[in-house]
Structure formats: structure tokens, C-alpha cells
Amino acid sequence: MNARNTNEQDVRLDVLLHEWKADAALPPRFQEEVWRRIAHADTPVRIPWWAELWQLLEAAFRRPALAVVYVTVLLLVGFGAGLMQAREKASQVDHTLEARYLQSVDPYLKAR
Amino acid sequence: MKRAWVILLTGVALGLCSYCGFYFAGTASYRAMLGSATPELTWLKNEFHLSDAELQSITQLHAAYLPQCAEMCRQIDAKNAELQQLLSKSSAFTPEIESKLAEVAGIRVECQKNMLRHFFEVGRSMSAEQGKRYLAWVQARTFLPEHGMHQPASFGSPNEHGHR
């Protein structure tokens, strides 16, 4: 019963659509504009590299283990760099003071 | 977003703190040494593991030796200047040059004797083991061919000899 009603309505709609004539004029370069928009919509949106990197970082830091590893690595790098620089500085001061002592006791030892 | 920023900055801040902390802790003793009244003698104390009493004795020896050393520097410079003047005027080896060379050599010998006396005194002020080590080190750095005594004496001012 319902199916018959639906078919009748479809037929009437088809008749009405066939009888309908659009008399509005299309805007100028309508077709060209439609194709331009389709082409633009197909172009993938380019994300800058830093935004991609930030997204990766955000995703990584959502995992507590990775966040802990990151902080630990930076702590260790700071520790190592600080220790190495301190050793270098200590060795430099050591040599300077050794030379100063020798220069103070040896009249022939020129400042080098 | 905010959480990522917090973790990122916390890591960087902790890394920087760790670097500064270890650098300052590692150089603290050297900064103290440089800040002392006689950094070179403080260095000697550290290097040869001297006690305060040993350092005090060596400081006295050092203070007594410095005027002698400065006087030697003055004499070396004076004799070198005289020798240089003679050499610039002469075109042949003259008896004056020979005599001046002998004077320069005499000062060198005198200087070596003074230095050695001082080194032995300083060595005796240390423990036997450190004294032996000190003598070996200081003699190697001042008497061996590539160091001090065997370098040509300076024609410049005494300051170039390290008396500042």
C-alpha cells in the first residue's frame, strides 16, 4: 500500500520536474568558477614542518614514559656537558698556575 | 598543548640547571685557588699535597727568594743590553765581546746556583716523597734543554721573566 503511494508520488514529481523550466540567468564564467572550486578543494592542505613536529611531540608527550625519558636525557646531557666543561676549565687553570709558579722562580723562563 | 609545552620547557630548564650545577661544582676549588692571595703557591699546595705548615714555610722561602730572582732578572737584562750594544757596533769578534759573554755566562751560573738552592730548600720543606717529586718536576721544567735555562735570555724588561 505504502509502496504504491510512493511510486505515484515519484511519477508526479518526475512530471513536475520535467515541466519546470529555470529562467534565471547563470552568473558570468559560472562553469569555470565551478571547476576552479573543485580543483581547489582537491588540493591537499599543506602543514608546515614545525607544526608536524609539534604534533609529533604532543603525541609523544601524551605517553608518560616518553616524557620521563626526554627529561632524563636532557638532565644527563647537562650533567655530561657541565662535567666536561669543568674539567677543561680546571685543566686550563692548572696549566696557567703551573706556568706562573715556574715563571716566578726562573728568571730565564719567559712568559709563554 | 599546554602539557607538551610544560614538559618541553621543564626538560630544557632541568638540563640547563644540571649543566650549571656541575660546572660550578667542578670548578669551585679552582675558583677559590684563583681568588687566593698567591694562586701559584696555592696550586703548589694542591699539586704536592702540602700541609698548611709546609705551605707557610714554602711561602716564606718563596718571598725571600723573589727579590734575589728579580735582581738576577735585572742583571741579566743589563748584561744582555750591553752585549747587544757591543754586537751592533762590532763587525768582528773582539776581546770586549768575549769579556761580555763571560759576564753573561757568569750571571747564568749564578742564577742557576740560586735557583737550585731555592729548589732544594723548597723540596726539603715537603715530605720526602713529595719533595723528590717536586725536585724532579721543577728541574725538568727549568733545567732541561726544552725549558727555562736553555732558552735564550730575553732582551726585554724583567716583567717578561714573570715578575709581575
Side-chain angles (χ1 to χ4, degrees):
Chain A
M1 185 74 180
N2 274 345
R4 195 190 301 164
N5 279 346
T6 308
N7 280 340
E8 280 173 11
Q9 281 173 357
D10 284 352
V11 170
R12 283 168 58 198
L13 182 64
D14 282 346
V15 171
L16 275 173
L17 283 173
H18 277 112
E19 284 172 358
W20 179 60
K21 298 280 182 217
D23 52 357
L26 289 173
R29 303 164 73 102
F30 174 78
Q31 202 169 2
E32 190 184 327
E33 185 62 19
V34 168
W35 281 114
R36 194 189 65 78
R37 284 188 186 188
I38 290 168
H40 187 256
D42 284 348
T43 311
V45 180
R46 296 196 67 171
I47 304 169
W49 64 268
W50 50 266
E52 272 186 63
L53 184 71
W54 182 247
Q55 280 172 3
L56 277 174
L57 274 178
E58 272 190 307
F61 287 160
R62 265 183 233 122
R63 296 167 66 184
L66 279 182
V68 169
V69 165
Y70 162 76
V71 171
T72 309
V73 164
L74 280 191
L75 258 176
L76 290 177
V77 166
F79 163 79
L83 213 62
M84 271 175 62
Q85 283 279 97
R87 274 190 188 175
E88 202 176 306
K89 179 74 182 170
S91 160
Q92 192 189 328
V93 172
D94 223 31
H95 283 107
T96 305
L97 291 180
E98 179 185 7
R100 269 170 74 168
Y101 176 75
L102 290 168
Q103 283 163 17
S104 74
V105 292
D106 185 352
Y108 282 89
L109 200 61
K110 287 189 286 184
R112 287 173 227 197
Chain B
M1 176 80 174
K2 194 181 168 188
R3 178 190 155 95
W5 271 113
V6 168
I7 294 168
L8 195 78
L9 294 179
T10 302
V12 171
L14 282 176
L16 279 175
C17 286
S18 157
Y19 170 81
C20 293
F22 278 96
Y23 178 79
F24 282 103
T27 53
S29 61
Y30 288 88
R31 273 182 286 120
M33 211 190 285
L34 285 172
S36 68
T38 48
E40 60 271 25
L41 292 182
T42 313
W43 172 83
L44 201 73
K45 181 182 189 235
N46 278 9
E47 180 65 28
F48 294 98
H49 314 295
L50 306 178
S51 67
D52 288 342
E54 287 169 341
L55 178 68
Q56 198 181 350
S57 160
I58 289 168
T59 305
Q60 283 169 359
L61 288 171
H62 192 74
Y65 172 73
L66 283 184
Q68 295 174 36
C69 193
E71 174 56 21
M72 294 312 298
C73 278
R74 196 193 60 74
Q75 288 184 27
I76 291 163
D77 282 338
K79 289 294 167 201
N80 278 334
E82 288 169 21
L83 180 63
Q84 199 176 28
Q85 206 174 9
L86 269 179
L87 290 174
S88 65
K89 284 178 186 166
S90 305
S91 56
F93 188 73
T94 62
E96 288 82 17
I97 292 176
E98 188 176 2
S99 157
K100 199 56 69 185
L101 281 174
E103 286 174 27
V104 169
I107 289 178
R108 180 178 287 252
V109 169
E110 193 58 33
C111 191
Q112 282 182 316
K113 287 196 299 196
N114 275 349
M115 277 173 66
L116 272 177
R117 261 187 232 117
H118 176 66
F119 295 158
F120 283 124
E121 279 175 342
V122 171
R124 273 200 304 275
S125 303
M126 298 179 181
S127 67
E129 186 194 343
Q130 292 303 327
K132 199 175 162 186
R133 196 165 78 85
Y134 168 79
L135 284 175
W137 166 76
V138 79
Q139 285 166 12
R141 298 303 305 269
T142 55
F143 280 83
L144 291 185
E146 65 270 26
H147 294 292
M149 276 292 181
H150 293 266
Q151 298 260 340
S154 166
F155 286 92
S157 68
N159 277 351
E160 287 181 354
H161 297 143
H163 296 286
R164 291 164 213 280

